[in-house]
Amino acid sequence: IYPNPCNGRFFIHASGGPVQSLQIFDSAGQQKPADVTIHEQMVMVDLKSITPGVYFIIMTQGGKTVVAKVIVK
């Protein structure tokens, strides 16, 4: 994930194969809306008007689930 921390827009280079799905949750477990563009192993996420804080990215690729953290400032 880069840049991290970010202003709401970040990129993910997923080296484990094509990304099938991506969800974003806040620290309270609430799913957050985002504009997500997936192109094979490159993902661009734009959280637009999201409140600054810590968010968790749950991504499925190649039959595996990956969890990552991003900080929005």
Side-chain angles (χ1 to χ4, degrees):
I1 296 176
Y2 60 93
N4 193 6
C6 70
N7 319 345
R9 178 181 279 182
F10 59 92
F11 299 88
I12 301 170
H13 177 74
S15 59
V19 175
Q20 282 95 28
S21 68
L22 186 135
Q23 297 174 302
I24 300 169
F25 294 88
D26 64 14
S27 57
Q30 298 291 321
Q31 187 170 357
K32 296 296 177 179
D35 288 334
V36 178
T37 304
I38 300 174
H39 187 314
E40 296 292 322
Q41 295 175 299
M42 182 60 72
V43 180
M44 195 273 297
V45 180
D46 190 348
L47 298 174
K48 294 197 178 193
S49 59
I50 202 160
T51 306
V54 177
Y55 294 88
F56 297 93
I57 313 303
I58 300 178
M59 181 172 62
T60 304
Q61 66 177 131
K64 296 181 182 179
T65 300
V66 177
V67 179
K69 179 173 68 172
V70 66
I71 298 169
V72 177
K73 55 181 181 171

